[in-house]
Amino acid sequence: MRSTDTGQRPYQMRMRAANLAGVAARVATKTRIWAADMECQQEEQYPKAKRKRPSGAQYRKRRKEEEERRRREAILKYLESSSTANEVPSTSSSGVPVCSESLDEMMHRPAASYSADGNTRLTTDSTLPVYSDVTETSSPVLPVEVKTDEPSAADPADWPSYLGDTVRTVVVGRGPYQWQQEKGEYSKMKIKRPSGAQYRKRRKQEEERHTKHREAILKYLVSSSTTDEVPSAASSYVPFCSAPEISSSAFPVEMQTDEPCPVDPADWPSPLTDIVRTELVRRGPYQVPPDFVFPKRDGARSCQHLYFFRTLKNGEKIKRNWLTYSNKNNSLFCFCCKLFSTKSIHLINGLTDWKNATTLLNSHDHSPDHLKYLASWKEFELQLKAAETVVKREMAIVQEEKRWRAVLARLIAIVQSLAVRNMALRGDTEKLYCPSNGNFLKEVELLAQFDPIMKDHVHRVKSEYSHLSYLGKHIQNELVECIGAKVVATVVQEIKQSKYFSLILGCTPDVNHTEHLSVLIRIVTLGEDPQVKEHFMGFLEADEFTGQSLATLILQRLDDWQISFDDCRGQSYDNGANMRGKSQGVQATLLQKNPRAFFVPCGAHTLNLVVADAAKSSNDAMGFLGVLQKLFSLFSGSRHRWAILAKHVTITLKMSSETRLENRVEALKPLRYEMSGVREALLEVRGQTKDPVIKVEAQFLAEEVGSFRFLLCTVIWYDILNKIQHVSKVLQSETLQVNVAVSLLEAEIALQNYRATGFVAAQSSAKDMCEEMNVEEVLTLKRLRSTDRLSSYESPDEPEHDALKNLEVNFFNMVVDSAIFAVKERFQTLGDVEKKFGILSSFQSLPHQEMIEQAEALGHALSCGGQSDLDGRELAQELKNLPDLPSQTMTALELLKFIQAKQLSEIYPNLWVALRIVVTLPVTVASVERSFSKSNLIKTYLRSTMCQERLSSLAVMSINPDVVGRISCDDVIEDLVGGCQR
């Protein structure tokens, strides 16, 4: 873990715990060696009792139970794969007979016999052989009898020439046999090694299991460290910490043994194992209560409490801690001799001679063997207490680490929540419970009111009990960077699984006038339901803006992510010269390295340029847009004038934008439908204002918006922009495909039809507006400026005396013709890309020979340097053999989903690859524009000092919230601990 304060590092604490565990291991090892040596000395004289093996009946019983368990598991596995839970269907939908035995009937069927080769299992009748559930568990097994006269062997070479319905049902349900390595033979199936993520996941699960076991034994040892607590004698599980287990990473839990560990020494097993001996030493001898009344034997003699004390020469009495009483046999035992000695004496077998008990006890006090065993017992007891101290310390370290992980998990959740909502983390101060300490600390304070873990952490920080807080600005930056890096790593893993991808790039400056390159990658997921995803990968700071430098920057970042650029199949940018330049642009540089990375210009941006070209084609069009801007400036310059406008209209004026087509349509809407209200507002402003400049401007605008020319231009512009806006809206979808985008270019045909009839319809609408405002429908001809003739043979242009005709020629025709020409020219590149993949959308109506030619052309386009994505002739054959589709007008994405749902990728591999590539191609860079909007929300004027890494990480979390939700807090904590520098 990381910390902004001083203090002991968690990993140092773990190292100290490991050292303490090693000390305990060495202590336990020494004890075991000593006990083994002591037992070896007495082995010849007192051999150990042999372990009792199960009898033949017990062995057969266990074997039968094991066979029944395996059989039940096989039956349940088959029933779970079928449509019902407790009964196999009697007949299929096609009338194929199948077995209909219940689970109980299957369980009581006679056991199966195995064939000579050992690979198949045959029932008692002439039933179908199925795989043995002992050697084969990977393929589905049908553990029921299916009556048939036709065999169904595992080897397909043994199948009959004609397969019956029953045999076919069994074979399909079982699936193809997968060869595996058995009896020293080499596997014919390639072993799939786990990926890095799978390996880390398995290692994490193993560590969690070890930690769980370790915490269980530590908790047990801590809770049962007192000598008064004795486990139940009925339990057959005895916890013990031997030397190998303590030194390992996982502490043992509940080691199974057949020997009980009772309290009464008369019930102790013989011989004593290390596990039982260690548990008895840890527990200590049983102490008789002072008020206990000993039972009397024949002769009115009984055990006395004075036997448990030894009287010294000076009259002092010391307690015989080694002496223990057996309530079962009414006898005395020497605890240490019973543990370690193998001799047969009174105090080992039980002292019941109460007449000579005092003499025997005094004699035993001075016995050399007793003194040796007593010293061994005390030493062993001290060693166990030292080991328990180590265990307690490590338990405290484990609990402390668990607490910090819980705190960090909550802090990570707070950072994710704030980052997804584009909210600032820090404030003016970094102290808790201050008014301006920022959103991060406010979230901590709010969580502390309801969460006990965070409440305890906040209490520790406030009371200065802990020098570590993990609430400072540095840990916030590290958390942001770790989460952002984890999101990018998750996306990179998904990109590698999808194989093919496309690049979407765009540049924009921030509030500090620093140019940022926004990087997005478009993929198609390979699942049951393929989805198009555009993942934001971050902002790159660009020092130079040439096409070569930007291309080098993106290639370097792809190398850092370990993503092969050879798998790139598309690239899309805006229409800037440094991005789409044919010679030195980014797309040209990347095409030189990978010719299969097709360049697709942004359709929505291109459509905006079409409108810009049309607006610049006519002076009347530019003049109209200038008046529109003046109207907005006049009313928005004063709150009083804006209130006057709001009083007369319901749709307020909008500022016209040069880059966003939607804003232009919204700016024209109040003039198109509420022109009379706008004119009334202008007249009221003219009457109320005392500023001569505003008065003159309002007078001019009132006369202009009331003219027939302005009304006619308003209707024409609104109709043109409204027709283009619908296409622009569709082109901004991230799931849009190339063939659909090209079909939307029928706007060219719509513009041609509008050129033929649009001007007459506009006149009719303009006349209606004139009647509503009560103005004359007069169109005056503006004076033409004369120009000097260049040569004597040139004659001046013949002026158009008809004002209406002049407006149609110089405004309407020029604007519409310019838009039609721009559509043809600017969408040519998109059309060329669509022609290469056109076979995938029109193969149903193509002749066979033309289909082959287009398929071979597509295969050639997807080939480079001796490598090819598909085979053209095979693609044509697959398209020819494709089954009937649900619809005749399916898009490439819908066809890909159909193939995935029907699991036809193995039958039509070339078509499957071609569809993935064409769906991967981007059509718009709208997602890049959205990332610019996120950047403006994150890096505001008040947060302008934000560094590049922090901006990129916050943007990654904000734009990819679905990926953030899939990230595990434990993985982020591991990355945070692994990258700790302090």
Side-chain angles (χ1 to χ4, degrees), residues 658-673:
E658 296 182 1
T659 57
R660 297 193 63 182
L661 181 62
E662 183 179 358
N663 284 356
R664 294 186 178 184
V665 177
E666 294 297 326
L668 282 174
K669 187 176 293 186
L671 298 179
R672 174 65 179 83
Y673 296 104

Side-chain angles (χ1 to χ4, degrees), residues 314-326:
N314 59 358
E316 293 181 349
K317 294 182 179 181
I318 59 175
K319 189 175 183 180
R320 291 186 175 107
N321 292 322
W322 49 267
L323 190 62
T324 182
Y325 175 76
S326 173

Side-chain angles (χ1 to χ4, degrees), residues 962-981:
D962 54 335
V963 182
V964 174
R966 301 200 305 264
I967 292 179
S968 173
C969 292
D970 294 335
D971 296 339
V972 178
I973 294 175
E974 292 298 330
D975 294 344
L976 185 67
V977 175
C980 183
Q981 298 289 336

Side-chain angles (χ1 to χ4, degrees), residues 16-25 27 217-218 221-226 241 246 251 282 380-398:
R16 183 179 179 184
N19 295 332
L20 295 176
V23 173
V27 170
I217 186 62
L218 294 179
L221 292 177
V222 172
S223 62
S224 60
S225 59
T226 59
C241 295
I246 291 180
F251 280 76
R282 189 196 63 80
F380 195 8
E381 188 176 20
L382 291 176
Q383 292 173 354
L384 283 180
K385 290 182 178 180
E388 288 181 358
T389 303
V390 174
V391 167
K392 290 180 181 179
R393 292 177 181 176
E394 183 165 349
M395 186 66 181
I397 294 175
V398 170

Side-chain angles (χ1 to χ4, degrees), residues 248-489:
S248 62
S249 61
F251 280 76
V253 292
E254 296 185 346
M255 302 183 65
Q256 189 171 3
T257 176
D258 297 332
E259 302 167 338
C261 186
V263 178
D264 198 315
D267 296 331
W268 290 0
S270 180
L272 295 177
T273 61
D274 291 341
I275 297 177
V276 177
R277 184 180 291 109
T278 304
E279 174 62 19
L280 291 174
V281 171
R282 189 196 63 80
R283 183 190 304 168
Y286 173 70
Q287 301 296 329
V288 180
D291 55 349
F292 181 77
V293 179
F294 296 99
K296 295 183 179 182
R297 286 182 176 271
D298 297 338
R301 292 183 180 273
S302 65
C303 180
Q304 302 296 326
H305 286 281
L306 59 90
Y307 295 157
F308 293 89
F309 294 90
R310 175 185 176 185
T311 305
L312 302 179
K313 292 293 184 180
N314 59 358
E316 293 181 349
K317 294 182 179 181
I318 59 175
K319 189 175 183 180
R320 291 186 175 107
N321 292 322
W322 49 267
L323 190 62
T324 182
Y325 175 76
S326 173
N327 193 19
K328 178 180 180 181
N329 295 345
N330 189 20
S331 59
L332 293 176
F333 289 86
C334 178
F335 182 77
C336 55
C337 294
K338 181 73 173 177
L339 284 176
F340 300 111
S341 179
T342 57
K343 296 181 179 180
S344 179
I345 60 177
H346 291 289
L347 288 173
I348 294 179
N349 298 328
L351 176 62
T352 58
D353 187 2
W354 308 126
K355 180 179 180 180
N356 302 316
T358 303
T359 304
L360 294 174
L361 290 176
N362 291 333
S363 175
H364 190 75
D365 282 331
H366 301 88
S367 173
D369 291 340
H370 169 72
L371 295 177
K372 182 179 65 173
Y373 297 145
L374 181 60
S376 301
W377 169 41
K378 292 300 181 181
E379 183 181 0
F380 195 8
E381 188 176 20
L382 291 176
Q383 292 173 354
L384 283 180
K385 290 182 178 180
E388 288 181 358
T389 303
V390 174
V391 167
K392 290 180 181 179
R393 292 177 181 176
E394 183 165 349
M395 186 66 181
I397 294 175
V398 170
Q399 293 297 332
E400 185 70 9
E401 180 181 354
K402 186 176 180 181
R403 184 183 72 84
W404 277 117
R405 283 184 174 271
V407 171
L408 283 177
R410 285 154 177 80
L411 297 181
I412 290 172
I414 292 175
V415 171
Q416 292 177 351
S417 176
L418 296 176
V420 169
R421 292 176 291 166
N422 308 313
M423 299 180 66
L425 273 69
R426 298 196 294 269
D428 297 337
T429 181
E430 296 182 6
K431 295 182 179 180
L432 288 169
Y433 299 100
C434 290
S436 58
N437 55 5
N439 296 320
F440 179 80
L441 295 181
K442 287 297 181 184
E443 292 284 341
V444 171
E445 296 170 4
L446 178 63
L447 191 60
Q449 297 180 12
F450 307 98
D451 183 64
I453 295 178
M454 189 56 67
K455 181 179 180 179
D456 175 69
H457 180 66
V458 171
H459 175 71
R460 289 169 178 261
V461 175
K462 287 181 61 180
S463 60
E464 298 182 357
Y465 175 79
S466 174
H467 295 286
L468 306 178
S469 65
Y470 285 88
L471 302 178
K473 59 182 180 181
H474 298 293
I475 192 64
Q476 294 178 24
N477 292 337
E478 293 176 359
L479 288 175
V480 169
E481 293 177 9
C482 286
I483 298 173
K486 198 65 182 179
V487 172
V488 172

Side-chain angles (χ1 to χ4, degrees), residues 21-22 24-30 32 240-248:
R26 290 191 292 272
V27 170
T29 303
K30 182 178 179 181
R32 294 187 64 189
F240 171 70
C241 295
S242 62
E245 285 80 3
I246 291 180
S247 60
S248 62

